[in-house]
Amino acid sequence: MSSVKVPELSDGHQYHAFIAHSARDKEELIEPLKTKMEELGFQICLDADEFLPGGAVVNNIIEIVKKSRRVLLFITPNFKKSQWCEFEALQALHQGYKHKKQILITIIKGLKQDQIPTQLQAFTYIDYDALRLNDFYSKVTLALTADDIPMMSVLPVGDVAHGLAWSYYYGYLRLILPGLKERVMKSQFLQNDVTKRRIVPKLFILLPDTCFCWPSLTENDDKVVHCDSLEPFTANRSGNPGRTYKNNVYKVIPRDIGDSDEEEVYYCVAEYATPLLSLYEMEEDGIAGLKFDEMLRQKFIFSKVLDDIFTHGHTKEFCDAVQTISYNDRDENGKKYKYPISTLLTKEIKHALQKTVKDQTKRMGELSISGE
């Protein structure tokens, strides 16, 4: 192993690998692995080494994963008990999807295959217990020196989430989004001097982690009140001539003001991503054999596929008419609860309105310079 060719670091990476692990395994398993890899010339990061003093743990994890070419997940019974270890795994998955390449290297010890966290079972793994120590180090070395692997070759397009996301796009979003801005512009909210400054002509799509979609946003949060619908959109689809699609407008009341203070409320077109409810029901009734952890993974994939669709060149003509909002609506026991979506919507609406003002100011400045 003395002739190992260590890859050069690029793309902003400072480390060849970040080892995500349980602190209880550090002395016995993690420190010897780190020492061995560093002897071969790899730059290795452990959480205790590089986290910024005084920084929020979540932000530190995100930054370390971004700076690492690979993420080694050393999964043991102790690892499975740690929420931070789970978060590190999800961040590695997120980075893999973002850059469309597989960065996870999974190592298991003291576990059987069916005990691996469900969201990681699609990946190959190194079984520490099945190897002599030198053979284990050789396999880790080989994984660290391997070329990048496209993410989609690891997680096939056959995942449920891919089909749901593309069906949602072709069967619904591609139909209603092109004319959405115009329908908002024609609504009563753009004709009123007060409300026209407090509504954004785009569709906000809510993506809760539990995949549960309340029948109405108001049932989820009483600060989000249904107040009207946009002009219905009709299309001839699959033997249904004149099929009608309706989008609802909600009044969003910031949680720090009174319900009657109309000068401070906002308006938006918002709804849940309805395919997520299918995932929730698949997990609930048991017929599909979808476990909770797998549902979470499918939701993650669904949201990433949607993001990829909206950033594709063929959709840019209407991508500014939609915005997805992912959020964690699980309590400390992992159960769903009524997340205050009014807080999320208020934040996103304010941001969108500020961007609109900046864009208008910029255009006016450009026109002034050109003398038009």
Side-chain angles (χ1 to χ4, degrees):
M1 298 212 303
S2 58
S3 60
V4 171
K5 185 177 181 181
V6 178
E8 292 185 8
L9 293 172
S10 59
D11 299 327
H13 294 144
Q14 297 180 17
Y15 309 99
H16 291 98
F18 162 52
I19 305 179
H21 64 281
S22 167
R24 295 180 179 180
D25 299 321
K26 185 174 182 181
E27 183 176 350
E28 177 189 356
L29 300 172
I30 309 307
E31 289 286 6
L33 174 60
K34 178 178 185 285
T35 299
K36 185 64 178 180
M37 293 301 106
E38 288 181 337
E39 287 175 355
L40 295 173
F42 294 102
Q43 297 294 320
I44 303 297
C45 171
L46 301 184
D47 51 358
D49 293 343
E50 299 298 336
F51 282 178
L52 299 174
V57 176
V58 170
N59 292 335
N60 285 334
I61 291 173
I62 292 171
E63 287 305 308
I64 293 300
V65 170
K66 285 180 180 179
K67 294 175 181 177
S68 303
R69 182 173 181 267
R70 297 286 185 266
V71 175
L72 286 170
L73 295 181
F74 210 121
I75 305 176
T76 65
N78 290 326
F79 182 102
K80 292 186 65 178
K81 295 175 184 176
S82 169
Q83 288 185 331
W84 290 121
C85 289
E86 178 187 1
F87 182 74
E88 289 164 352
L90 289 174
Q91 278 304 308
L93 280 171
H94 172 74
Q95 285 297 309
Y97 273 100
K98 182 177 180 180
H99 298 288
K100 297 182 172 60
K101 60 186 179 184
Q102 157 67 335
I103 69 170
L104 278 176
I105 300 171
T106 305
I107 301 168
I108 67 169
K109 176 175 172 42
L111 299 173
K112 297 178 181 179
Q113 183 176 3
D114 60 1
Q115 294 176 308
I116 300 173
T118 308
Q119 63 266 39
L120 301 173
Q121 288 183 2
F123 304 100
T124 56
Y125 59 89
I126 299 171
D127 190 343
Y128 182 94
D129 296 324
L131 298 167
R132 293 181 302 177
L133 189 58
N134 283 341
D135 292 336
F136 166 69
Y137 288 147
S138 294
K139 279 190 172 290
V140 174
T141 302
L142 183 63
L144 289 178
T145 55
D147 293 335
D148 291 335
I149 302 173
M151 193 66 159
M152 288 304 105
S153 70
V154 181
L155 292 178
V157 175
D159 270 330
V160 173
H162 285 85
L164 288 175
W166 283 107
S167 176
Y168 185 46
Y169 169 67
Y170 279 110
Y172 177 60
L173 295 176
R174 195 175 72 153
L175 300 175
I176 64 105
L177 288 179
L180 183 84
K181 282 190 173 183
E182 182 181 352
R183 288 189 291 136
V184 174
M185 299 294 285
K186 291 166 58 178
S187 72
Q188 60 165 308
F189 300 95
L190 264 295
Q191 312 305 317
N192 183 298
D193 286 339
V194 174
T195 59
K196 74 178 182 181
R197 298 191 301 272
R198 311 190 78 79
I199 186 170
V200 181
K202 65 166 56 180
L203 173 65
F204 291 96
I205 300 176
L206 299 171
L207 305 171
D209 276 0
T210 66
C211 297
F212 181 75
C213 304
W214 298 83
S216 166
L217 302 191
T218 305
E219 289 188 45
N220 182 170
D221 185 342
D222 61 9
K223 294 287 187 178
V224 182
V225 182
H226 178 261
C227 57
D228 203 356
S229 301
L230 296 181
E231 177 185 334
F233 172 79
T234 60
N236 299 326
R237 297 286 291 179
S238 305
N240 291 298
R243 184 170 184 174
T244 301
Y245 299 83
K246 188 174 73 170
N247 299 104
N248 295 305
V249 179
Y250 287 88
K251 177 169 68 173
V252 182
I253 306 167
R255 303 191 76 79
D256 56 351
I257 71 166
D259 293 359
S260 61
D261 194 346
E262 290 295 327
E263 290 289 332
E264 295 298 325
V265 303
Y266 296 91
Y267 299 85
C268 69
V269 183
E271 59 192 53
Y272 297 104
T274 51
L276 292 186
L277 186 59
S278 296
L279 285 175
Y280 175 84
E281 292 172 340
M282 288 169 68
E283 191 272 334
E284 277 285 294
D285 65 22
I287 297 175
L290 187 69
K291 296 180 181 179
F292 183 78
D293 285 347
E294 175 63 12
M295 182 193 72
L296 294 179
R297 187 174 77 88
Q298 293 295 330
K299 183 265 176 178
F300 177 80
I301 296 171
F302 177 87
S303 63
K304 296 311 297 179
V305 173
L306 275 189
D307 287 345
D308 287 346
I309 291 172
F310 296 145
T311 55
H312 195 282
H314 289 285
T315 65
K316 65 180 181 180
E317 61 184 273
F318 56 79
C319 66
D320 61 343
V322 64
Q323 181 173 334
T324 58
I325 304 176
S326 286
Y327 59 98
N328 181 9
D329 60 334
R330 291 183 289 164
D331 61 20
E332 63 272 12
N333 298 314
K335 303 297 183 182
K336 70 176 183 292
Y337 78 105
K338 292 188 174 183
Y339 188 95
I341 56 174
S342 57
T343 302
L344 286 174
L345 289 170
T346 299
K347 176 183 175 182
E348 297 301 333
I349 294 169
K350 283 183 176 180
H351 178 75
L353 288 171
Q354 290 168 358
K355 184 177 184 302
T356 298
V357 172
K358 287 181 180 179
D359 290 345
Q360 289 174 345
T361 303
K362 182 180 178 181
R363 283 196 296 270
M364 289 176 65
E366 290 170 348
L367 289 173
S368 176
I369 292 172
S370 65
E372 296 182 14

